Every structure is written in C-alpha cells, then in structure tokens.
C-alpha cells in the first residue's frame, strides 16, 4: 500500500512542473485561465482543498503526461484533515463548464457579466459582438462561476431547441441559467423567452449574439475586440507584452513553443499582427497556432494581403470562413443607411470623429451619432483611445477588407457585363448594396 505521507505535496509538484516547463506564474495563468494569485497560493500551500477542475486546467497548461497528471491530481485530492482519505469525485465537486483556452484581457468584462447575472434585474443578458470576438468563451467563464455557487446551467448552441420541457421539471426554488449560444431568435424566439421568464421567476437567460434581441428589460454587454498596440509600442517589448492582444497571441505561440519569449527581434511583427487582426481572439488563435510550422514574418505577409488569409489550422472546430460568414451576418442586420455609412468610412484606415464622419457621408451630426451607436454596439467600429476632447473611431480591418473585396468583385462583374452588353446599354448602372 502507498503511504501518502511519503508522496510529494501539490505545492511542490506544481512548482517543479512549472519551472521545468520554463514558465512563469503569469505564463501559466495565460495558458489556463487560472489567475496568477490562485497559482501562487497553490504553490505556497495556502489552499487546503483545491478544486480538481483547477488542477486539471493547470495540468493541461503544463502539458503533463498521463502519469504526471494523475500524480498531480492525487496530490490535490489529499486533504490534511482527512487522514489520507481520498474523497470521491462527484456530488457537485466538478463544475460543468470548464474553459480550456486562455481568457486573456477580459477581466473587466468577466466581472461585469458575472455581476449582471447576479443582479435582481438581470433576468435576460445578451453579450453582443462580431464573430470571433470571444462571446462564447466569456459566457462559459461567467456560467462556470455561477455553477460554482450552486446555480444550475443549461447550455444550448445555435439551432438547438429551447429546453422548455426540461425547465418545467426543475424545482420551483432552483436557480438556473439558460445559455443560448450564438442565438437565432427568428420565428417567435423572443416571445418564447418572455414566456419562459414569466413561467420561471428564478430563471436567468444569457444570450450570445451579433446584436440585441430587443426584449424589454434586456441587459446588453458589448464585447469589443481586445486592445491592440498603439503606434510605436514595439519599441519597448516589456511594455508591449502587457497589451491584451499581444498577451493572447504570445500565449497561443507558447502553446506550441513553450520557449518563445517576446523580444526586440519579433516585437514589431507581433505588434503589427495584432493590429491587422483587430485584436480578435479567434484570429489571434489561428496566427499563434500556425507558428508551429510558419514564421511570424510569413504570417504577417499573409495577413497584410487579407486578415481572412489565415486558414484555420488542422484540428480546429471553427474555420476562417466562419469569420467571414458571421461578419456578413452582422452586416446583414444593418439598415440601408448604416450600410452606406459604413461603406463610405471603410475606404480609409484612419480614425475619424462623429463630425468628420457626418461630413464624409453627407448627413447631420445627430444622424451620424445614431448610426455610429449601432456600429459600435455590433463591434464593426472600434472606439480609439487617442486622447483629446473629441472621441474618435475607426472601422475594423476585417470590415474594410470585406468591403474592399466586395468593390473589387463588383468592378470585375461590371467589366464583364460591359463587355457582354451592347453599346446602347452601357450608360446603365447597376445598384449594389455597398453605398
């Protein structure tokens, strides 16, 4: 029989594995979504009853083999007040929503969403943003925290039926969060949500979608892309490494190459990659994973041609085409005025104010502000932090390229049609939805 008193404790094992992997506590936190403080407390032996889910996440981040992983879990199961007794798993000791990928740069949004779900009025919360910005990831982290407090979670992906029957069998006082990920409420879905909330007073509903659902009382959390490096930030690699989009890209790079460290040799390339990919977590993941077989300059050259140029790496659930499809889905929600407004401003990569946008489009400042509010909510336009009294904005690089591709396709189509039709018809113009 193994005497557990002779086995290494969790603090020692975790610290040794991390150091052998060449990772700092911050690097391990970036790879696992476990906070630096939690890792530090575990390594100092301050946590007497660690959650097994947390230890599993750390084992994944450390890329431990089966034997090392099981030894780490055994150390976590041994509690000093149990005289060597190993508690059985189950009975609520395992949270159902494990977040496997890094959730970096989203501390504020995570706290805000968690708080919204706990507020008395937070019956219906919608996380809004363009595809690839990390709405599902944020929702998973928020409900993982809710489940840790005893709240029951029901998760449904796009296309799944709303589980009205399952909710009907819940205990009257049971707290439940229903997550509708990538929600599509066409055909009476919004009315069904209202009916569910009336029938189940303790039910909370969390949606992730490209836009608000419009139900009265809906709380909206806008999820913007991660902040990108400001011009000249690459001159200081240490400071650059603190920018959220850079942190995320470097975390994905280190997942394939644990020895990677940001320095002067690649700071400029990494900074420009983050800018051209708009700080979109999904796009940064693609770029970071491809560094396993492609150089950073090679990836940047591909992205300079088009931010959609990086295909999804093998064994990836979503694809680069999903980013295009989801972006077009968001654009499809815009009014004709919004389409024309965005198309006009998408021709320029520079930032602009509301007044400048109104002049460029030929509308009033009040009308421009109304359209801009929608564009920022959907995540198609980014507020810039450039200082000064007048807020400034810019169109996402992905959006600009999509509009540029549309214009090129239209010109090619027009040239083909002009070649095919007779001279008497060449004065006609074909209307297109690009403004």
């Amino acid at each position: 029989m193994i005497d557990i008193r002779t086995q290494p404790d969790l603090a020692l094992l975790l610290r040794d594995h991390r150091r052998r992997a060449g990772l700092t506590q911050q690097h391990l936190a970036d790879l696992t979504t476990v906070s630096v403080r939690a890792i530090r407390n575990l390594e100092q032996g301050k946590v007497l009853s660690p959650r097994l889910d947390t230890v599993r996440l750390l084992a994944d981040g450390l890329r431990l083999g089966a034997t090392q992983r099981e030894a780490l879990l055994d150390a976590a199961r041994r509690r000093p007040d149990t005289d060597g007794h190993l508690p059985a798993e189950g009975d609520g000791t395992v949270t159902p929503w494990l977040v496997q990928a890094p959730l970096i740069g989203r501390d504020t949004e995570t706290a805000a969403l968690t708080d919204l779900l706990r507020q008395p009025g937070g019956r219906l919360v919608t996380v809004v943003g363009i595809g690839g910005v990390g709405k599902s990831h944020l929702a998973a982290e928020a409900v993982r925290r809710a489940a840790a407090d005893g709240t029951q979670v029901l998760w449904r992906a796009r296309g799944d039926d709303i589980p009205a029957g399952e909710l009907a069998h819940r205990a009257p006082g049971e707290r439940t969060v229903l997550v509708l990920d990538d929600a599509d409420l066409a055909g009476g879905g919004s009315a069904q949500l209202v009916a569910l909330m009336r029938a189940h007073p303790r039910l909370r509903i969390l949606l992730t979608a490209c836009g608000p659902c419009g139900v009265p009382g809906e709380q909206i959390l806008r999820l913007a892309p991660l902040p990108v490096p400001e011009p000249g930030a690459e001159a200081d690699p240490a400071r650059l490494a603190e920018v959220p989009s850079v942190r995320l890209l470097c975390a994905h790079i280190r997942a394939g190459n644990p020895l990677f460290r940001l320095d002067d040799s690649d700071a400029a390339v990494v900074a420009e990659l983050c800018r051209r990919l708009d700080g979109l977590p999904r796009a940064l993941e693609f770029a970071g994973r491809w560094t396993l077989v492609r150089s950073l300059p090679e990836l940047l050259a591909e992205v300079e041609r088009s931010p959609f140029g990086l295909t999804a790496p093998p064994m990836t659930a979503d694809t680069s085409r999903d980013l295009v499809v989801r972006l077009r889905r968001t654009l499809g929600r815009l009014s004709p005025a919004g389409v024309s407004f965005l198309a006009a401003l998408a021709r320029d990569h520079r930032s602009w104010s509301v007044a400048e946008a109104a002049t460029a489009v030929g509308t009033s400042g009040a009308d421009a502000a109304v359209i801009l509010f929608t564009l920022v909510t959907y995540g198609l336009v980014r507020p810039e932090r450039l200082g000064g009294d007048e807020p400034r904005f810019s169109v996402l690089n992905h959006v600009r390229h999509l509009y540029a591709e549309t214009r090129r396709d239209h010109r090619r189509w027009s040239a083909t049609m002009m070649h095919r039709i007779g001279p008497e018809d060449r004065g006609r113009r074909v209307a297109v939805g690009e403004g």
Side-chain angles (χ1 to χ4, degrees), residues 59 64-78 89:
L64 299 183
T67 301
Q68 293 174 324
R69 180 187 181 89
E70 191 57 34
L72 194 69
L73 287 169
D74 280 344
R77 294 185 182 103
R78 293 194 302 273
E89 294 190 45

Side-chain angles (χ1 to χ4, degrees), residues 272 276 299-307 401:
E272 190 61 19
R276 297 214 173 230
L299 293 173
L300 178 58
E302 187 74 46
V303 170
E304 286 176 337
R305 287 188 286 271
S306 170
H401 271 268

Side-chain angles (χ1 to χ4, degrees), residues 55-117:
V55 179
R56 289 190 182 96
L57 286 173
L58 293 172
D60 290 340
L62 293 166
R63 295 177 175 264
L64 299 183
T67 301
Q68 293 174 324
R69 180 187 181 89
E70 191 57 34
L72 194 69
L73 287 169
D74 280 344
R77 294 185 182 103
R78 293 194 302 273
R79 301 177 183 177
D81 58 345
T82 58
D83 295 326
H85 174 67
L86 302 183
E89 294 190 45
D91 299 327
T93 61
V94 180
T95 55
W97 310 111
L98 295 178
V99 181
Q100 298 293 346
L103 185 59
I104 294 173
R106 297 298 195 193
D107 292 345
T108 301
E109 293 90 341
T110 302
L113 181 54
T114 304
D115 185 57
L116 282 174
L117 290 173

Side-chain angles (χ1 to χ4, degrees), residues 342-366:
L342 186 59
L345 296 171
R347 297 174 181 270
D348 197 338
H349 71 279
R350 294 173 296 183
S351 66
W352 34 267
S353 66
V354 175
E356 291 168 347
T359 301
V361 177
T363 187
S364 68

